[in-house]
Amino acid sequence: MPSPAYIGRFAPTPSGYLHFGSLLAAVASYLDARSQQGQWLVRIEDLDTPRNVAGASEHILRTLQAYGLHWDGEVVRQSQRLALYESVIDHWLETGQAYHCDCSRRQIIAHDGIYPGTCRDRQLPAAADHAVRVKVSAQTLSFDDRLQGRFSQELASSSGDFIIRRRDGIIAYQLAVVVDDIAQGVTDIVRGADLLDSTPRQLWLYHLLRQPAPRYLHVPLIMRHEGEKLSKRLGSTPLEPAQASATLYRALRILTPQPPTALAAAPVAEQLQWAIDHWQPQRLPATRQILEPS
Ligand code: GLU
């Protein structure tokens, strides 16, 4: 079977219920996929178990359904895939592309959070409270975001060798997201601009895994006031499935050019169809943050 030309995904972390900020990311990736006859997958990124909120993943999935955001295939949960991530880590430890590290958080903060490579050549053995870091090279990594344009970062000076398994044994987001996007054949990543700075680290992992990088589109984060991300404070109110039409219309007013007012009370399926037909992501502001229109 030929691989589909477009596979997109929404990958929420169940550290909270679905709120308006995360709905925007879900709707943007859904519209982008459906407007290109693509598949749209949902993956629950539940590796950071201490941060998982009971009932959050069920709430997220139920709310997506109520908003008409129907996904393709089975929902994937990262907590079920630990062996896959561990096999990549083991391989990199064997080939010397990754190493154990026992540095404390305080030591790293002293270097402004940029890891100076302290444990790179120490050959520390595996131990329960050692982190694992992947080595980065001195080169600058660049990509062309479909909205934000060219973005470049030199990993050596912006993060240094970064963590792929934390000291508490939890697999780091940066590793799991790349391993899964590759395993699921994801071609297009549409997500919030808060993840722009993570993208070069992820591109580095695609490079180490010898896989082509996906296309990226980072949509601006919505702010209530200057500098106040909507997912924080008031905006973190869980969405009510009963208000789906009104809330989806509010999302479309941000993501699409002038949705007709008659659409405000239409069923979600009709709202989404209009939005698929009018999806022009290049007309979004090419900024990391925007204020919600009044
Ligand atoms: N799980 C991440 C989050 O909720 C998003 C991952 C991604 O889209 O790459 O912030």
Side-chain angles (χ1 to χ4, degrees), residues 95-165:
T95 56
Q97 284 160 301
Y99 58 87
H100 292 280
C101 164
D102 66 359
C103 293
S104 66
R105 184 169 300 197
R106 196 182 319 153
Q107 281 170 289
I108 295 159
I109 291 171
H111 292 273
D112 292 332
I114 298 154
Y115 189 66
T118 319
C119 296
R120 215 179 215 232
D121 300 315
R122 286 178 67 205
Q123 316 277 0
L124 287 175
D129 63 346
H130 286 175
V132 177
R133 290 180 181 272
V134 68
K135 290 181 187 168
V136 303
S137 76
Q139 81 205 63
T140 298
L141 289 165
S142 303
F143 70 102
D144 292 303
D145 187 272
R146 287 170 52 206
L147 177 64
Q148 309 282 346
R150 191 139 189 95
F151 188 79
S152 301
Q153 206 177 62
E154 193 205 18
L155 292 183
S157 58
S158 53
S159 65
D161 297 343
F162 60 92
I163 287 189
I164 51 176
R165 187 172 66 210

Side-chain angles (χ1 to χ4, degrees), residues 9 11-13 45 173 177 191 195:
R9 65 12 168 223
T13 301
E45 302 209 320
Y173 154 71
V177 73
R191 61 186 179 188
L195 291 165

Side-chain angles (χ1 to χ4, degrees), residues 31-32 34-36 252 254-260 263 270-284:
L31 295 177
D32 201 58
R34 296 304 191 218
S35 66
Q36 298 184 57
L252 297 187
I254 294 164
L255 292 172
T256 61
Q258 298 167 347
L263 211 60
E270 206 176 299
Q271 293 178 322
L272 287 172
Q273 191 53 57
W274 180 90
I276 291 167
D277 295 342
H278 293 83
W279 177 237
Q280 289 174 282
Q282 67 285 1
R283 288 184 56 176
L284 286 165

